[in-house]
Each structure stands twice: as C-alpha cells, then as structure tokens.
Amino acid sequence: MRVETVPTMYGQDAVLRLFNFDESLLNLAHLNLGDKHRKEIEEIISHPRGLVLVVGPTGSGKSTTLYSILNGLNTQDRKLITLEDPIEYSLPGISQIPIDTTGGKSFADGLRAVLRLDPDVVMVGEIRDQDTARTAIQASITGHLVLSTFHANSTSAAFSRMIDLIGVNPIFSSAIRLVVAQRLVRCLVESTKEEYEPDDATRAYVKRVLEGVSDSVVLPDLDNFKLWRAVASDEFPFGYKGRMVVMEQLVVSETIQKFIRGDIEDVNPDAIEKAAKAEGMLTLEQAGVLAALRGETTLEEVGRVI
C-alpha cells in the first residue's frame, strides 16, 4: 500500500494505492499490445544503446510498462540497474536503488554514480530536470540502453517539452529511439456488454478520428458499424472489469530527427504528430476508438480518459 497525505483546512486528504501484484505478470506478452507495437518495442530494446521514454499522466501504467520491458531484458549476460523514487515492485536479478528526491538528491546524481558500475541497461524513474535529461542522453549514446518516464500528454508533446527543457540538441536526436504515450481504460465485461446503433454524430466523429489511418490497420465498415455499452450487474456494478493499456508509439525516424536537430524550424506538437501519422503512427485517440470498435471498451470511456 502506498499512501499520500496532505493536511487541509478540515483534516487530512489521503490517497491510497493498493499494490496486489504477481511479478510473473510483468511481461510484454501480458500487456495486451498489438503485434505491431510489441514488435517495435522488442526490436528497439534488442539494441545495446539508445533512449526509450514512456510518457503519460500519473496512474497511466508507465511503471508497469517499464518493469515489463526490464523483465524481458533480465538475462544472465546483462547487468540492469534502476533508480526509483520509490521502488514500487521488487524484481529479482536487478539492482534497484531508491532515490529520495525529497531529501535534496536528484536522479542525475544517482545516474552519474551508476554509470561507473558498468550497467548494460539503466532505468531512471523519471526525467524531471535539465541535468537528469542531459545525463540520460549522454548515457544512452555511450553504450547503455536507458529507459525512463517523462510527463507529457502525447509522444509529440514529449519532444517539444524535452526541447524546451534542454534546447535543440543534435545528440538527443541520435539518442532517442522510441517514445510511448499511454493511458489505461476500463474493459467491458464480455458477458454483460450490450451492442447498440450509434447516432449520426457519433458515426461522424469516428470517421473523422480514423481518417487517414495507415492501410495496415484493419477497419470495419465506417458507414455501418455498431458500438458497445456497459451494462451493470450484481457482480460488476459498473459493467467494467479490469483495465487495458491504450498506446501511441512513435519510433524515431529520420524525419522526426530533423525536428529534434532543428533542421525544421516549426517544432510544435501538431507538426511532429502530422509527420508521425504520415509514417503510420496511430494516435492515442485513434487507438482508443479502435478498441471501442472491437468491443473492448466504450467510446464514453475513451472520451473520459483520452
């Protein structure tokens, strides 16, 4: 159990997080990723160096994704070290180092020390400041695979935020290999969910969101599709059970590198997203709508979360 409290005018405001976790579940195979997403991640982490960022708000499952990647890399011939504030799960075979940032320490201080311990893979709990960002980038081009989280709403916003943090940096363009943005949406209960005919406004919305998606994505007939709604039952009072991850995955190509290097002057999230979509990336909203069309969640849940 992880508890956060703060004194307010009329008493304590408290949030409790319950961790009831089986380490064997920390596996990319159990994250319900599409084949394309999983192959892209596996291909990039098979390389000995580079920077991989997972972005999203608090509670979007970033740590679980990173731990699953670490578990996949955890072999006898690799040395893995993590810097965490705090350590959420204990992983056998990995050196996990707690960093108490409230005491004045920073991830950058720990990272510089860790790089002298000859690691192959380093996970930095979060990139929060310029010093940590620069140190992580330097580590990722000197023979280390660096994994970290970063607060941004989308993959394209992560690039513009990082450029705001460290400036236009050619080394960053050669270091960053993959950015994953994610959210968690509730899953419909298969036995109680109910199919329905969407209205014209909903059909128009789905068509607009999915306009121009890659030819590799299998789409239903957008003029004649159905959706599902949650139906409450005694066992599942909200009509949902469990959560699934919705991902936006941006593999850094030569085109995206031009934005980071400053070869293209107009570095804004919309321009980066447009370039990535042209290369086949699905946005969070598109991935969420596709999950709703498959009957895995509802369009209302996608709207609430994404």
PDB file of all heavy atoms in Angstrom, residues 131-148:
ATOM      1  N   ASP A 131      19.307  18.598 -15.851  1.00  0.00           N
ATOM      2  CA  ASP A 131      20.504  17.818 -15.511  1.00  0.00           C
ATOM      3  C   ASP A 131      20.271  16.320 -15.747  1.00  0.00           C
ATOM      4  O   ASP A 131      21.099  15.635 -16.356  1.00  0.00           O
ATOM      5  CB  ASP A 131      20.876  18.073 -14.049  1.00  0.00           C
ATOM      6  CG  ASP A 131      22.304  17.643 -13.732  1.00  0.00           C
ATOM      7  OD1 ASP A 131      23.066  17.376 -14.683  1.00  0.00           O
ATOM      8  OD2 ASP A 131      22.652  17.573 -12.534  1.00  0.00           O
ATOM      9  N   THR A 132      19.135  15.816 -15.278  1.00  0.00           N
ATOM     10  CA  THR A 132      18.821  14.399 -15.475  1.00  0.00           C
ATOM     11  C   THR A 132      18.654  14.090 -16.953  1.00  0.00           C
ATOM     12  O   THR A 132      19.127  13.055 -17.447  1.00  0.00           O
ATOM     13  CB  THR A 132      17.532  14.014 -14.720  1.00  0.00           C
ATOM     14  OG1 THR A 132      17.672  14.362 -13.345  1.00  0.00           O
ATOM     15  CG2 THR A 132      17.244  12.526 -14.833  1.00  0.00           C
ATOM     16  N   ALA A 133      17.988  14.981 -17.693  1.00  0.00           N
ATOM     17  CA  ALA A 133      17.775  14.778 -19.130  1.00  0.00           C
ATOM     18  C   ALA A 133      19.107  14.686 -19.863  1.00  0.00           C
ATOM     19  O   ALA A 133      19.334  13.761 -20.660  1.00  0.00           O
ATOM     20  CB  ALA A 133      16.926  15.917 -19.703  1.00  0.00           C
ATOM     21  N   ARG A 134      19.999  15.620 -19.595  1.00  0.00           N
ATOM     22  CA  ARG A 134      21.300  15.624 -20.283  1.00  0.00           C
ATOM     23  C   ARG A 134      22.127  14.381 -19.928  1.00  0.00           C
ATOM     24  O   ARG A 134      22.778  13.795 -20.789  1.00  0.00           O
ATOM     25  CB  ARG A 134      22.076  16.897 -19.929  1.00  0.00           C
ATOM     26  CG  ARG A 134      21.482  18.159 -20.533  1.00  0.00           C
ATOM     27  CD  ARG A 134      22.335  19.380 -20.213  1.00  0.00           C
ATOM     28  NE  ARG A 134      21.760  20.602 -20.716  1.00  0.00           N
ATOM     29  CZ  ARG A 134      21.841  21.019 -21.976  1.00  0.00           C
ATOM     30  NH1 ARG A 134      22.491  20.286 -22.859  1.00  0.00           N
ATOM     31  NH2 ARG A 134      21.289  22.152 -22.343  1.00  0.00           N
ATOM     32  N   THR A 135      22.099  13.996 -18.642  1.00  0.00           N
ATOM     33  CA  THR A 135      22.874  12.824 -18.209  1.00  0.00           C
ATOM     34  C   THR A 135      22.320  11.545 -18.841  1.00  0.00           C
ATOM     35  O   THR A 135      23.079  10.671 -19.269  1.00  0.00           O
ATOM     36  CB  THR A 135      22.853  12.704 -16.665  1.00  0.00           C
ATOM     37  OG1 THR A 135      23.236  13.947 -16.087  1.00  0.00           O
ATOM     38  CG2 THR A 135      23.819  11.621 -16.197  1.00  0.00           C
ATOM     39  N   ALA A 136      20.990  11.427 -18.915  1.00  0.00           N
ATOM     40  CA  ALA A 136      20.363  10.247 -19.527  1.00  0.00           C
ATOM     41  C   ALA A 136      20.705  10.162 -21.009  1.00  0.00           C
ATOM     42  O   ALA A 136      20.994   9.079 -21.534  1.00  0.00           O
ATOM     43  CB  ALA A 136      18.856  10.304 -19.331  1.00  0.00           C
ATOM     44  N   ILE A 137      20.670  11.308 -21.696  1.00  0.00           N
ATOM     45  CA  ILE A 137      21.002  11.330 -23.129  1.00  0.00           C
ATOM     46  C   ILE A 137      22.454  10.938 -23.342  1.00  0.00           C
ATOM     47  O   ILE A 137      22.783  10.133 -24.222  1.00  0.00           O
ATOM     48  CB  ILE A 137      20.713  12.733 -23.716  1.00  0.00           C
ATOM     49  CG1 ILE A 137      19.206  12.968 -23.750  1.00  0.00           C
ATOM     50  CG2 ILE A 137      21.313  12.880 -25.103  1.00  0.00           C
ATOM     51  CD1 ILE A 137      18.816  14.428 -23.967  1.00  0.00           C
ATOM     52  N   GLN A 138      23.348  11.474 -22.513  1.00  0.00           N
ATOM     53  CA  GLN A 138      24.770  11.148 -22.618  1.00  0.00           C
ATOM     54  C   GLN A 138      24.998   9.649 -22.397  1.00  0.00           C
ATOM     55  O   GLN A 138      25.757   9.006 -23.120  1.00  0.00           O
ATOM     56  CB  GLN A 138      25.563  11.959 -21.578  1.00  0.00           C
ATOM     57  CG  GLN A 138      27.073  11.988 -21.812  1.00  0.00           C
ATOM     58  CD  GLN A 138      27.455  12.710 -23.102  1.00  0.00           C
ATOM     59  OE1 GLN A 138      26.869  13.741 -23.440  1.00  0.00           O
ATOM     60  NE2 GLN A 138      28.402  12.157 -23.842  1.00  0.00           N
ATOM     61  N   ALA A 139      24.293   9.093 -21.397  1.00  0.00           N
ATOM     62  CA  ALA A 139      24.443   7.664 -21.100  1.00  0.00           C
ATOM     63  C   ALA A 139      23.974   6.807 -22.266  1.00  0.00           C
ATOM     64  O   ALA A 139      24.568   5.764 -22.576  1.00  0.00           O
ATOM     65  CB  ALA A 139      23.648   7.311 -19.837  1.00  0.00           C
ATOM     66  N   SER A 140      22.910   7.255 -22.940  1.00  0.00           N
ATOM     67  CA  SER A 140      22.314   6.438 -23.999  1.00  0.00           C
ATOM     68  C   SER A 140      23.141   6.416 -25.281  1.00  0.00           C
ATOM     69  O   SER A 140      22.920   5.565 -26.139  1.00  0.00           O
ATOM     70  CB  SER A 140      20.890   6.913 -24.296  1.00  0.00           C
ATOM     71  OG  SER A 140      20.913   8.218 -24.827  1.00  0.00           O
ATOM     72  N   ILE A 141      24.085   7.344 -25.426  1.00  0.00           N
ATOM     73  CA  ILE A 141      24.938   7.306 -26.634  1.00  0.00           C
ATOM     74  C   ILE A 141      26.324   6.736 -26.321  1.00  0.00           C
ATOM     75  O   ILE A 141      27.173   6.661 -27.199  1.00  0.00           O
ATOM     76  CB  ILE A 141      25.081   8.702 -27.280  1.00  0.00           C
ATOM     77  CG1 ILE A 141      25.747   9.687 -26.320  1.00  0.00           C
ATOM     78  CG2 ILE A 141      23.754   9.212 -27.778  1.00  0.00           C
ATOM     79  CD1 ILE A 141      26.218  10.948 -26.993  1.00  0.00           C
ATOM     80  N   THR A 142      26.524   6.353 -25.048  1.00  0.00           N
ATOM     81  CA  THR A 142      27.840   5.792 -24.675  1.00  0.00           C
ATOM     82  C   THR A 142      27.716   4.317 -24.292  1.00  0.00           C
ATOM     83  O   THR A 142      28.368   3.857 -23.357  1.00  0.00           O
ATOM     84  CB  THR A 142      28.467   6.596 -23.518  1.00  0.00           C
ATOM     85  OG1 THR A 142      27.534   6.651 -22.425  1.00  0.00           O
ATOM     86  CG2 THR A 142      28.820   8.007 -23.947  1.00  0.00           C
ATOM     87  N   GLY A 143      26.844   3.611 -24.991  1.00  0.00           N
ATOM     88  CA  GLY A 143      26.790   2.164 -24.816  1.00  0.00           C
ATOM     89  C   GLY A 143      25.812   1.646 -23.794  1.00  0.00           C
ATOM     90  O   GLY A 143      25.955   0.531 -23.315  1.00  0.00           O
ATOM     91  N   HIS A 144      24.808   2.445 -23.413  1.00  0.00           N
ATOM     92  CA  HIS A 144      23.806   1.989 -22.456  1.00  0.00           C
ATOM     93  C   HIS A 144      22.408   2.130 -23.060  1.00  0.00           C
ATOM     94  O   HIS A 144      22.142   3.066 -23.796  1.00  0.00           O
ATOM     95  CB  HIS A 144      23.853   2.818 -21.163  1.00  0.00           C
ATOM     96  CG  HIS A 144      25.209   2.898 -20.540  1.00  0.00           C
ATOM     97  ND1 HIS A 144      26.107   3.908 -20.876  1.00  0.00           N
ATOM     98  CD2 HIS A 144      25.833   2.124 -19.635  1.00  0.00           C
ATOM     99  CE1 HIS A 144      27.230   3.726 -20.183  1.00  0.00           C
ATOM    100  NE2 HIS A 144      27.085   2.659 -19.422  1.00  0.00           N
ATOM    101  N   LEU A 145      21.541   1.184 -22.712  1.00  0.00           N
ATOM    102  CA  LEU A 145      20.123   1.317 -23.036  1.00  0.00           C
ATOM    103  C   LEU A 145      19.473   1.986 -21.825  1.00  0.00           C
ATOM    104  O   LEU A 145      19.546   1.451 -20.715  1.00  0.00           O
ATOM    105  CB  LEU A 145      19.492  -0.050 -23.304  1.00  0.00           C
ATOM    106  CG  LEU A 145      17.990  -0.047 -23.622  1.00  0.00           C
ATOM    107  CD1 LEU A 145      17.705   0.717 -24.909  1.00  0.00           C
ATOM    108  CD2 LEU A 145      17.459  -1.478 -23.728  1.00  0.00           C
ATOM    109  N   VAL A 146      18.887   3.164 -22.024  1.00  0.00           N
ATOM    110  CA  VAL A 146      18.308   3.928 -20.925  1.00  0.00           C
ATOM    111  C   VAL A 146      16.789   3.979 -21.097  1.00  0.00           C
ATOM    112  O   VAL A 146      16.287   4.358 -22.164  1.00  0.00           O
ATOM    113  CB  VAL A 146      18.883   5.362 -20.869  1.00  0.00           C
ATOM    114  CG1 VAL A 146      18.258   6.155 -19.715  1.00  0.00           C
ATOM    115  CG2 VAL A 146      20.402   5.325 -20.713  1.00  0.00           C
ATOM    116  N   LEU A 147      16.067   3.592 -20.050  1.00  0.00           N
ATOM    117  CA  LEU A 147      14.614   3.639 -20.035  1.00  0.00           C
ATOM    118  C   LEU A 147      14.179   4.662 -18.996  1.00  0.00           C
ATOM    119  O   LEU A 147      14.752   4.727 -17.917  1.00  0.00           O
ATOM    120  CB  LEU A 147      14.028   2.272 -19.661  1.00  0.00           C
ATOM    121  CG  LEU A 147      14.597   1.031 -20.342  1.00  0.00           C
ATOM    122  CD1 LEU A 147      14.038  -0.231 -19.699  1.00  0.00           C
ATOM    123  CD2 LEU A 147      14.288   1.042 -21.828  1.00  0.00           C
ATOM    124  N   SER A 148      13.151   5.449 -19.317  1.00  0.00           N
ATOM    125  CA  SER A 148      12.692   6.421 -18.324  1.00  0.00           C
ATOM    126  C   SER A 148      11.266   6.849 -18.615  1.00  0.00           C
ATOM    127  O   SER A 148      10.710   6.558 -19.679  1.00  0.00           O
ATOM    128  CB  SER A 148      13.603   7.650 -18.319  1.00  0.00           C
ATOM    129  OG  SER A 148      13.280   8.491 -17.219  1.00  0.00           O
TER     130      SER A 148
END
